[in-house]
C-alpha cells in the first residue's frame, strides 16, 4: 500500500526524533570518553612497525590519521594548560613509523616535544631522538638539521651539538647559506641574546604551521620585553641613586630626563612600574617566556 | 502482526542456517586453537592478551562480514527472484517484511556470537587456566560487539532495500570503515574551516560510530567499562538502528517492484 | 457486491535515462467480475495482463484509478486474507520443502497452527504433491513448482484466486491436471480471475472473458455469446457443380470434388443462396451452421492499432 502523505510526514518526524536521540546519546558518549579514549589504543600497540604491517599498505593514510590525533592531543591539552603530554611521543613515533617521510611530524612534533610544559612536553631528549630518526629517513631534507640544532640550543643548551647540527645541515645541497651563519654564531657566542633572536626569527620565517609561528612570536616578544625591562630597571636604579627614592610613575623618569614617553611592551601596553623599582608587563600570560634573558634576575 | 513478524524472522534465520553460514564457526574455532600455541612462546600474560584480542576481534570481524554478505541480499534477492510476489499478496505489511528480515539476521548473528563465545572461552580455559572473574567481564566486550551487529545489519538492510548487492556491499563496507574512524573524522572537523568543517561535522554524526563501540582493547587489558558507557552506547545503538530501519521502511513502502 | 471491481486503473512507467519519458502499460482499465465467476483475462504477451495483476496485488502502485475486492479497497491488507495469487513462473524459496513453504505462507496469511497441520497435507494431496516429502524445492521440476504455486494460493480458504498464466511451461499432462484443479475450485464456488494467452484453456474454463491489448481493454463478454458472435457462417454441401456459377459471388471457399461442392456462406445470405441453388436444380446434401472460435474474436480485437471500448 502506498502510504498517504500524512503517514509519510508523521514517520519522517519520528525518524528525525530517533536520529536526534542517537546524536544526543553519541554526544554523551563522547563527553564521557574524552579525547583520551581513542588514544588508549596507542598504548596497547606493541609498536608502530606492527601497525604498519597490519595496515595492509594503507600506512600512509593511517599515518595521517595518527598525525591528526597527535595534533589534536597536543592542542586540547595545550588549551587546558596541561603539564603532562605523555602520549605525544608514542603518537609521533607511531606516525613516523607508518610514514617515515611525514616531515611535519618530525619538524613540528619535535618542537612540541621539546618545549617546557605547559607549552610542550618538556622531553627534549625524545625530541632529539625523533628528529634524528627523521634525518636518517630523509637525509636530503636540510631543514630537519635546523630543527635539530634549534632544539639542542634552545632546550638542551648543548651549544656544541647545535653547532654540529647547523654545520651538517649547511653542507646539504640546497641549504640556505644562513645555516652556516648560525653554525658560526653557535661556535662564537653560544648563549647570546642576539643568537636567540636570530634563531627565533628564522623559525618564525621558515615555519608554515600556525602554532610554531605563534610560539616563535611569543619567544621573540618575551626576548624584547626582557631586554626592555632590564634597561628600564637600570634607569629606575639610576633614578633611585640620584633622588634617593624609587619613581612612582613613568612621568617621574621623564622629568628626570631618563625617559622619553611612556615605555610600551611589544604588545603596545605600557610597562608597569612597581614599588621597589621592579618593572613588569601588565599581562604576564602574553609573555610566557619572560625572564629567560634577564640579566638582573630577582 | 506478531505471528507474521515471527514467521518472517524465523524463516530468515532458517535460510541463513541452510545457507551453511554457520560453518564459519568451524573456521573460527580452528583459527583460535591453531594460534594459541604460537602465543604460548611468549610469556603467559601476553598470551592471554593476544588470545583475547584475537578472539574478540575475530568474533567482531566474522560477524560484520556475515552481516554484510547476507544483509546485501536480504531484500534485493527477494525482489530479483520475485519471491516477494507471493508474500505481498498476503496480509503482510511491507514494514513487517523489513523488520522481520532485520530481526532474522540479527538472530543469526547472535547465534553465531553465542557459539563463538563458547568456543572462545573454551580456548581461553585451555590455554590460560584457570579462568578468573576478570574473564567474565569479557562478556561486556561481546555485548558491545553485538551492539555493533545491530548497527551494521541495519545499514546493510537499508542498502539492500534499494540497491544492487554489489553497491550495497561497497557502501556498507565503506560506512563500516568510516564509522570505525568516526572519532578521527570529528578531529578533522575540529581542525578545518568553512564548508569542510561543517561537512565533516555532519558526517561524523551521520556515519555509524563504531569507534566508541570497540572496547576490545579495554577489556583485554582487564580495564572496567563504565556503566554509563554501557547505557549510552546501548541507547545509541538502538536509536541509530531504529533510524536506519525506519528509512529502509520508508523507502521500501514506496518502491514499485519489477 | 462484485468480487472484483476495477475502475479506470492506469499505470505508466518512467523510461529513458533521465526517467522523463512515459511508457503506458495500462490505460484506464475498467471491468467487473461477479462472485463465483471464472473470468478469463486474455491478451498477447506484453498486453498488460501481468501489470494488472501486480497492481491488484500491491506489488506496484497505479498511476491513477482504483479497484475494489469484495467491496473493500484493493490495497487493504485485510482483504488479502481472502485472496490467493499464483504469479507467472513463480519462484519459491528453494531451500524449503513443500510442507515448510506452505507452513510459512500459512503463517503469513494468519492460518492457525492446528489448521495448518490439517490443511497442509490435504492441500498437497489435492495438487498431487503428497509424495514430495521433505525434498527441497530446488529439486522440483517445473510442473511440480507450478503445483506448489497453486497449493500456496489455496492453502487457506480463499474466495478469489488470481492466476497468472497458470499453465505456462507445463507439459500436456501437467496442463490437464491444472485444468482439473481449476475446475474443482470453480465447482467449489471460488471466483477465479486468470490471465493467459492460451485461448483453448480459456475456452475450456471461463464463463466470461476480457481481451486486453497494448494496455487497453478491447472486448469483454460471455464466452458463448462471443463465440457465436464471431461465427456467423454456415457450410453448404450440394450436388450439382454447374450450379456453382450462379452463387459463386455469394459463397466463399468453394471446394469441388466431382459433382459435389462444398462452400461457406454468411448466415444472412444463406436463404438466398439456397433458393438460387434450388432454381439451378442442385440437390442439397447438408446445411451446417458454423460456430466461430474464441480465436477469431481474439484476433479481431487485437488486430486494430487503435481500439474503441465495446
Amino acid at each position: 500500500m502506498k502510504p498517504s502523505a500524512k503517514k509519510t510526514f508523521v514517520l519522517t518526524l519520528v525518524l528525525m526524533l530517533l536520529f536526534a536521540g542517537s546524536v544526543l546519546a553519541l554526544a554523551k558518549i563522547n563527553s564521557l570518553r574524552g579525547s583520551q579514549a581513542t588514544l588508549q589504543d596507542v598504548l596497547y600497540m606493541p609498536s608502530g612497525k606492527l601497525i604498519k604491517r597490519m595496515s595492509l599498505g594503507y600506512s600512509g593514510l593511517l599515518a595521517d590519521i595518527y598525525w591528526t590525533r597527535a595534533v589534536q592531543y597536543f592542542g586540547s591539552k595545550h588549551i587546558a594548560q596541561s603539564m603532562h603530554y605523555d602520549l605525544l611521543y608514542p603518537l609521533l613515533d607511531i606516525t613516523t613509523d607508518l610514514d617515515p617521510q611525514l616531515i611535519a611530524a618530525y619538524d613540528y612534533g619535535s618542537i612540541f616535544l621539546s618545549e617546557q610544559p605547559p607549552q610542550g612536553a618538556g622531553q627534549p631528549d625524545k625530541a632529539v631522538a625523533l628528529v634524528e630518526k627523521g634525518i636518517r629517513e630523509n637525509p636530503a631534507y636540510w631543514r630537519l638539521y635546523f630543527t635539530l640544532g634549534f632544539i639542542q640550543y634552545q632546550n638542551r643548551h648543548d651549544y656544541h651539538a647545535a653547532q654540529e647540527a647547523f654545520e651538517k645541515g649547511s653542507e646539504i645541497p640546497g641549504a640556505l647559506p644562513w645555516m652556516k651563519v648560525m653554525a658560526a654564531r653557535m661556535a662564537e657566542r653560544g648563549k647570546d641574546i642576539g643568537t636567540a633572536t636570530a634563531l627565533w626569527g628564522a623559525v618564525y620565517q621558515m615555519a608554515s604551521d600556525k602554532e610554531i609561528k605563534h610560539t616563535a612570536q611569543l619567544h621573540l616578544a618575551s626576548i624584547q620585553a626582557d631586554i626592555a625591562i632590564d634597561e628600564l630597571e637600570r634607569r629606575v636604579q639610576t633614578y633611585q641613586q640620584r633622588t634617593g627614592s624609587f619613581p612612582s610613575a613613568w612621568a617621574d623618569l621623564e622629568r628626570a630626563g631618563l625617559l622619553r614617553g611612556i615605555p610600551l611592551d611589544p604588545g603596545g601596553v605600557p610597562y608597569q612600574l612597581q614599588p621597589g623599582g621592579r618593572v613588569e608587563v601588565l599581562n604576564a600570560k602574553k609573555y610566557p617566556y619572560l625572564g629567560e634573558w634577564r640579566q638582573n634576575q630577582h | 502482526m506478531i505471528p507474521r513478524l515471527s514467521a518472517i524472522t524465523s524463516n530468515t534465520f532458517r535460510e541463513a542456517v541452510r545457507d551453511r553460514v554457520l560453518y564459519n564457526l568451524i573456521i573460527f574455532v580452528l583459527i583460535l586453537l591453531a594460534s594459541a600455541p604460537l602465543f604460548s612462546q611468549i610469556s603467559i600474560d601476553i598470551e592471554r592478551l593476544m588470545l583475547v584480542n584475537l578472539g574478540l576481534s575475530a568474533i567482531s570481524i566474522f560477524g560484520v562480514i556475515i552481516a554484510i554478505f547476507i544483509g546485501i541480499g536480504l531484500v534485493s534477492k527477494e525482489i530479483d527472484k520475485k519471491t516477494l510476489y507471493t508474500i505481498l499478496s498476503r496480509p503482510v505489511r511491507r514494514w513487517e517484511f523489513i523488520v522481520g528480515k532485520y530481526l532474522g539476521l540479527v538472530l543469526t548473528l547472535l547465534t553465531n556470537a553465542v557459539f563463538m563465545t563458547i568456543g572462545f572461552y573454551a580456548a581461553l580455559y585451555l590455554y590460560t587456566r584457570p579462568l578468573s572473574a576478570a574473564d567474565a567481564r569479557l562478556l561486556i566486550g561481546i555485548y558491545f560487539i553485538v551492539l555493533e551487529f545491530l548497527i551494521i545489519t541495519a545499514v546493510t538492510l537499508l542498502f539492500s532495500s534499494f540497491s544492487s548487492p554489489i553497491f550495497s556491499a561497497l557502501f556498507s563496507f565503506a560506512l563500516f570503515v568510516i564509522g570505525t574512524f568516526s572519532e578521527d573524522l570529528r578531529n578533522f572537523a575540529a581542525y578545518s574551516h568553512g564548508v569542510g568543517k561543517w561537512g565533516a561535522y555532519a558526517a561524523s554524526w551521520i556515519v555509524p560510530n563504531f569507534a566508541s563501540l570497540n572496547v576490545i582493547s579495554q577489556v583485554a587489558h582487564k580495564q572496567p567499562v563504565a556503566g554509563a558507557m554501557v547505557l549510552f552506547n546501548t541507547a545509541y545503538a538502538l536509536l541509530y538502528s531504529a533510524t536506519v530501519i525506519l528509512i529502509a521502511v520508508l523507502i521500501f513502502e514506496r518502491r514499485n517492484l519489477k | 457486491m462484485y468480487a472484483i471491481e476495477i475502475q479506470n486503473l492506469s499505470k505508466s512507467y518512467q523510461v529513458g535515462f533521465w526517467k522523463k519519458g512515459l511508457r503506458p502499460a495500462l490505460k484506464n482499465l475498467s471491468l467487473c467480475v461477479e462472485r463465483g465467476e471464472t473470468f478469463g483475462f486474455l491478451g498477447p504477451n506484453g498486453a498488460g495482463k501481468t501489470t494488472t495483476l501486480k497492481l491488484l496485488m500491491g506489488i506496484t502502485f497505479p498511476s491513477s484509478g482504483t479497484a475494489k475486492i469484495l467491496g473493500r479497497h484493493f490495497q487493504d491488507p485485510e482483504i488479502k486474507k481472502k485472496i490467493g495469487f499464483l504469479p507467472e513462473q513463480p519462484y519459491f524459496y528453494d531451500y524449503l520443502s513443500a510442507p515448510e513453504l506452505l507452513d510459512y505462507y500459512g503463517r503469513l496469511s494468519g492460518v492457525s497452527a492446528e489448521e495448518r497441520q490439517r490443511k497442509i497435507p490435504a492441500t498437497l494431496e489435492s495438487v498431487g504433491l503428497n509424495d514430495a516429502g521433505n525434498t527441497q524445492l530446488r529439486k522440483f521440476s517445473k510442473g511440480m513448482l507450478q503445483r506448489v504455486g497453486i497449493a500456496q494460493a489455496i492453502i487457506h480458504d480463499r474466495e478469489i484466486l488470481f492466476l497468472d498464466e497458470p499453465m505456462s511451461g507445463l507439459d500436456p499432462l501437467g496442463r490437464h491436471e491444472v485444468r482439473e484443479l481449476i475446475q474443482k475450485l470453480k465447482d467449489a464456488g471460488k471466483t477465479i480471475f486468470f490471465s493467459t494467452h492460451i485461448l483453448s484453456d480459456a475456452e475450456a474454463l471461463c464463463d466470461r472473458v476480457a481481451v486486453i491489448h497494448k494496455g487497453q481493454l478491447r472486448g469483454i463478454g460471455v464466452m458463448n455469446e462471443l463465440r457465436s458472435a464471431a461465427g456467423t457462417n454456415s457450410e453448404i454441401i450440394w450436388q450439382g457443380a454447374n450450379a456453382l456459377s450462379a452463387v459463386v459471388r455469394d459463397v466463399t471457399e468453394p471446394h469441388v470434388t466431382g459433382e459435389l461442392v462444398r462452400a461457406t456462406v454468411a448466415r444472412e445470405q444463406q436463404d438466398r443462396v439456397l433458393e438460387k441453388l434450388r432454381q439451378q436444380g442442385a440437390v442439397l446434401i447438408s446445411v451446417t451452421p458454423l460456430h466461430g472460435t474464441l480465436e477469431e474474436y481474439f484476433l479481431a480485437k487485437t488486430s486494430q492499432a487503435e481500439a474503441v471500448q465495446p
Side-chain angles (χ1 to χ4, degrees):
Chain A
M1 148 135 67
K2 196 147 191 178
S4 64
K6 185 172 99 162
K7 182 172 169 200
T8 309
F9 180 68
V10 167
L11 282 180
T12 311
L13 269 184
V14 171
L15 183 71
M16 305 226 182
L17 277 174
L18 285 174
F19 181 64
S22 80
V23 169
L24 284 175
L26 188 57
K28 185 76 188 169
I29 292 173
N30 286 334
S31 73
L32 283 175
R33 291 184 78 199
S35 58
Q36 297 287 18
T38 356
L39 307 174
Q40 281 167 355
D41 293 336
V42 170
L43 289 179
Y44 301 146
M45 288 296 178
S47 81
K49 302 241 177 346
L50 186 60
I51 303 180
K52 179 161 189 159
R53 251 177 256 128
M54 278 171 27
S55 60
L56 297 173
Y58 296 99
S59 49
L61 178 62
L62 223 50
D64 296 339
I65 290 178
Y66 269 98
W67 171 236
T68 313
R69 288 185 185 180
V71 171
Q72 207 256 354
Y73 173 78
F74 179 74
S76 58
K77 278 194 162 276
H78 191 207
I79 289 174
Q81 295 283 306
S82 168
M83 298 298 278
H84 299 284
Y85 295 81
D86 302 327
L87 293 178
L88 189 56
Y89 179 69
L91 277 170
L92 292 170
D93 198 28
I94 291 177
T95 304
T96 49
D97 272 342
L98 285 168
D99 186 357
Q101 273 103 46
L102 193 57
I103 301 287
Y106 302 114
D107 226 352
Y108 307 140
S110 58
I111 294 190
F112 293 143
L113 272 174
S114 58
E115 289 284 291
Q116 287 302 310
Q119 311 305 328
Q123 299 171 308
D125 297 328
K126 292 229 168 89
V128 166
L130 187 64
V131 184
E132 286 180 342
K133 176 180 174 189
I135 289 175
R136 268 198 314 276
E137 301 281 353
N138 305 274
Y141 198 77
W142 62 268
R143 284 179 208 257
L144 283 176
Y145 281 106
F146 172 81
T147 309
L148 180 59
F150 171 81
I151 294 174
Q152 299 288 28
Y153 175 81
Q154 176 70 16
N155 300 110
R156 295 183 80 231
H157 307 296
D158 185 341
Y159 308 115
H160 186 68
Q163 179 206 344
E164 264 189 23
F166 284 119
E167 278 276 0
K168 284 219 203 98
S170 71
E171 279 154 24
I172 295 182
L176 287 180
W178 165 96
M179 286 286 276
K180 265 220 159 0
V181 173
M182 285 312 295
R185 286 195 86 119
M186 293 295 136
E188 289 166 29
R189 310 212 219 158
K191 185 173 173 84
D192 171 84
I193 205 164
T195 308
T197 310
L199 207 50
W200 281 115
V203 171
Y204 180 82
Q205 273 198 338
M206 293 216 306
S208 47
D209 182 68
K210 257 185 2 184
E211 288 269 348
I212 307 273
K213 262 181 146 64
H214 187 59
T215 304
Q217 233 174 354
L218 289 177
H219 276 282
L220 284 170
S222 297
I223 293 176
Q224 260 189 291
D226 271 339
I227 297 175
I229 290 177
D230 266 343
E231 180 56 34
L232 285 170
E233 283 188 353
R234 252 198 306 277
R235 299 197 191 178
V236 166
Q237 288 296 335
T238 311
Y239 180 94
Q240 201 265 343
Q241 277 154 12
R242 279 197 207 162
T243 64
S245 58
F246 284 109
S248 51
W250 295 119
D252 297 338
L253 281 176
E254 254 190 301
R255 266 181 268 113
L258 288 166
L259 201 59
R260 285 264 264 290
I262 309 261
L264 300 174
D265 70 21
V269 176
Y271 286 103
Q272 307 294 301
L273 182 59
Q274 303 293 4
R278 287 203 311 282
V279 178
E280 284 170 2
V281 289
L282 177 64
N283 189 353
K285 283 225 185 74
K286 280 196 181 170
Y287 302 91
Y289 302 106
L290 209 55
E292 272 182 33
W293 294 101
R294 295 292 309 279
Q295 308 265 341
N296 26 326
Q297 297 291 347
H298 290 271
Chain B
M1 171 176 86
I2 305 277
R4 290 191 294 264
L5 260 184
S6 71
I8 298 178
T9 302
S10 59
N11 191 54
T12 307
F13 178 74
R14 180 164 47 181
E15 180 173 8
V17 168
R18 294 202 181 170
D19 253 351
R20 297 180 250 263
V21 153
L22 293 180
Y23 282 16
N24 76 90
L25 292 172
I26 299 180
I27 304 179
F28 171 76
V29 169
L30 284 177
I31 291 182
L32 267 195
L33 293 180
S35 59
L38 292 175
F39 299 153
S40 65
Q41 307 292 327
I42 329 170
S43 84
I44 296 183
D45 245 13
I46 300 288
E47 183 189 16
R48 180 192 177 281
L49 180 67
M50 300 199 98
L51 195 57
V52 171
N53 266 321
L54 182 66
L56 292 182
S57 301
I59 296 181
S60 168
I61 292 177
F62 274 70
V64 168
I65 291 179
I66 294 176
I68 295 184
F69 267 79
I70 298 187
I72 57 183
L74 270 187
V75 178
S76 53
K77 199 162 88 162
E78 298 240 8
I79 296 177
D80 286 338
K81 297 213 165 139
K82 307 199 178 174
T83 46
L84 254 186
Y85 282 15
T86 40
I87 306 259
L88 291 181
S89 66
R90 295 182 142 76
V92 179
R93 276 70 167 170
R94 287 202 183 191
W95 73 261
E96 290 171 347
F97 181 72
I98 295 277
V99 173
K101 285 277 172 180
Y102 174 71
L103 293 175
L105 184 50
V106 167
L107 188 61
T108 310
L109 293 171
L110 259 177
T111 310
N112 212 41
V114 163
F115 281 114
M116 282 186 159
T117 307
I118 296 177
F120 168 66
Y121 271 106
L124 203 59
Y125 179 74
L126 210 56
Y127 289 104
T128 65
R129 55 188 110 196
L131 292 183
S132 63
D135 293 321
R137 278 197 229 113
L138 293 174
L139 287 173
I140 296 190
I142 295 182
Y143 174 73
F144 273 75
I145 292 175
V146 169
L147 290 182
E148 249 186 2
F149 290 164
L150 288 182
I151 296 182
I152 193 72
T153 305
V155 167
T156 53
L157 179 70
L158 170 63
F159 288 123
S160 179
S161 68
F162 67 84
S163 78
S164 71
I166 295 185
F167 282 122
S168 300
L170 273 174
F171 293 145
S172 303
F173 184 67
L175 268 188
F176 177 66
V177 171
I178 298 178
T180 308
F181 289 107
S182 52
E183 189 100 2
D184 298 289
L185 197 55
R186 243 190 302 283
N187 289 348
F188 281 132
Y191 279 85
S192 35
H193 312 279
V195 178
K197 187 187 187 84
W198 294 114
Y201 259 130
S204 73
W205 295 118
I206 292 177
V207 301
N209 269 255
F210 290 117
S212 54
L213 283 174
N214 193 328
V215 296
I216 294 181
S217 291
Q218 245 178 299
V219 298
H221 279 263
K222 303 192 187 177
Q223 288 196 337
V225 179
M229 283 297 274
V230 176
L231 178 66
F232 283 104
N233 271 302
T234 307
Y236 175 69
L238 290 175
L239 286 167
Y240 189 86
S241 305
T243 306
V244 172
I245 293 179
L246 191 48
I247 298 178
V249 167
L250 282 172
I251 292 179
F252 188 61
E253 282 195 340
R254 268 153 200 69
R255 261 194 98 178
N256 281 295
L257 303 174
K258 289 271 168 300
Chain C
M1 174 170 69
Y2 289 113
I4 306 168
E5 200 182 330
I6 302 178
Q7 297 163 354
N8 284 312
L9 205 57
S10 302
K11 175 71 185 173
S12 294
Y13 288 103
Q14 289 174 306
V15 293
F17 190 73
W18 302 109
K19 306 266 177 186
K20 286 266 177 64
L22 276 180
R23 178 174 65 84
L26 199 64
K27 298 182 213 169
N28 285 320
L29 178 69
S30 293
L31 58 88
C32 300
V33 177
E34 308 268 358
R35 296 173 77 164
E37 211 179 359
T38 301
F39 190 87
F41 197 49
L42 314 176
N45 290 325
K49 309 193 295 293
T50 304
T51 306
T52 306
L53 283 166
K54 277 160 68 171
L55 287 170
L56 289 176
M57 292 303 120
I59 295 167
T60 36
F61 304 111
S63 306
S64 65
T66 184
K68 286 204 207 145
I69 298 180
L70 291 173
R72 300 171 75 157
H73 190 261
F74 75 110
Q75 283 167 339
D76 182 353
E78 286 304 305
I79 205 63
K80 304 228 171 129
K81 289 189 178 159
K82 299 244 174 65
I83 67 178
F85 176 51
L86 172 63
E88 190 179 6
Q89 286 160 356
Y91 182 92
F92 302 111
Y93 300 109
D94 59 3
Y95 53 90
L96 294 179
S97 69
E100 285 174 337
L101 186 80
L102 291 183
D103 188 62
Y104 180 48
Y105 283 142
R107 284 171 81 178
L108 290 181
S109 295
V111 182
S112 73
E114 23 141 339
E115 252 193 278
R116 289 197 308 264
Q117 231 181 355
R118 243 190 327 117
K119 286 195 166 165
I120 289 177
T123 312
L124 285 174
E125 167 122 33
S126 69
V127 300
L129 281 175
N130 40 330
D131 50 359
N134 286 321
T135 330
Q136 288 190 339
L137 286 177
R138 57 168 60 109
K139 304 219 173 96
F140 275 30
S141 69
K142 190 149 191 331
M144 289 166 81
L145 278 179
Q146 202 77 6
R147 293 192 225 185
V148 170
I150 297 183
Q152 64 84 25
I154 62 174
I155 179 62
H156 104 235
D157 248 347
R158 314 295 168 94
E159 212 197 289
I160 310 182
L161 279 164
F162 292 87
L163 311 171
D164 196 351
E165 309 271 4
M167 257 71 99
S168 81
L170 292 180
D171 64 11
L173 186 62
R175 292 178 54 177
H176 174 73
E177 288 177 343
V178 170
R179 241 195 243 189
E180 290 216 329
L181 264 173
I182 297 180
Q183 184 67 47
K184 257 197 278 177
L185 292 164
K186 183 179 163 148
D187 295 336
K190 310 280 184 216
T191 310
I192 302 178
F193 183 96
F194 92 88
S195 89
T196 182
H197 60 267
I198 301 176
L199 301 177
S200 50
D201 294 334
E203 247 176 316
L205 294 164
C206 297
D207 303 321
R208 275 202 309 151
V209 297
V211 177
I212 183 174
H213 184 49
K214 295 203 175 145
Q216 278 182 313
L217 186 64
R218 296 297 174 90
I220 187 169
V222 179
M223 180 63 75
N224 287 326
E225 286 174 14
L226 289 180
R227 273 189 282 188
S228 51
T232 49
N233 297 336
S234 302
E235 185 193 69
I236 307 180
I237 304 180
W238 73 86
Q239 202 174 21
N242 52 312
L244 182 56
S245 47
V247 297
V248 73
R249 263 178 295 117
D250 300 308
V251 304
T252 52
E253 289 170 51
H255 294 274
V256 184
T257 332
E259 272 296 308
L260 286 178
V261 185
R262 180 166 54 89
T264 310
V265 66
R267 202 140 320 139
E268 307 92 65
Q269 312 283 1
Q270 191 180 289
D271 290 335
R272 201 152 48 91
V273 165
L274 286 175
E275 182 62 34
K276 279 196 193 163
L277 284 174
R278 211 158 33 84
Q279 282 171 359
Q280 294 289 321
V283 177
L284 219 45
I285 307 286
S286 70
V287 178
T288 318
L290 284 177
H291 281 294
T293 55
L294 184 58
E295 187 179 3
E296 288 170 15
Y297 179 73
F298 182 83
L299 288 173
K301 291 295 173 186
T302 57
S303 61
Q304 304 136 347
E306 297 297 320
V308 272
Q309 290 271 14

